[in-house]
Amino acid sequence: MGSIETVQTSKNIEIAVVDDDPLFRETLSENLKEAGYSVEMFEAGASFLTGLATVAPPI
């Protein structure tokens, strides 16, 4: 598996991971967290849209 380059930034970047495969969703989220990103996970598009009411990641 390739490596993830950590980007140093003064901004708190939030990323929404939306995928119905729990293993993929968890693996991607953990890799992003290790790279310094704040991650919110959703298992489907509908739950993501509902979650936008409280969490609005810019990416």
Side-chain angles (χ1 to χ4, degrees), residues 1-4 14-42 59:
M1 192 176 271
S3 64
I4 294 178
E14 296 181 37
I15 299 176
V17 175
V18 184
D19 198 283
D20 62 347
D21 182 331
L23 180 59
F24 178 79
R25 187 174 61 242
E26 187 65 37
T27 302
L28 178 58
S29 295
E30 288 302 316
N31 285 326
L32 289 168
K33 287 177 186 177
E34 288 176 11
Y37 297 100
S38 178
V39 178
E40 192 72 29
M41 294 187 295
F42 301 92
I59 297 179

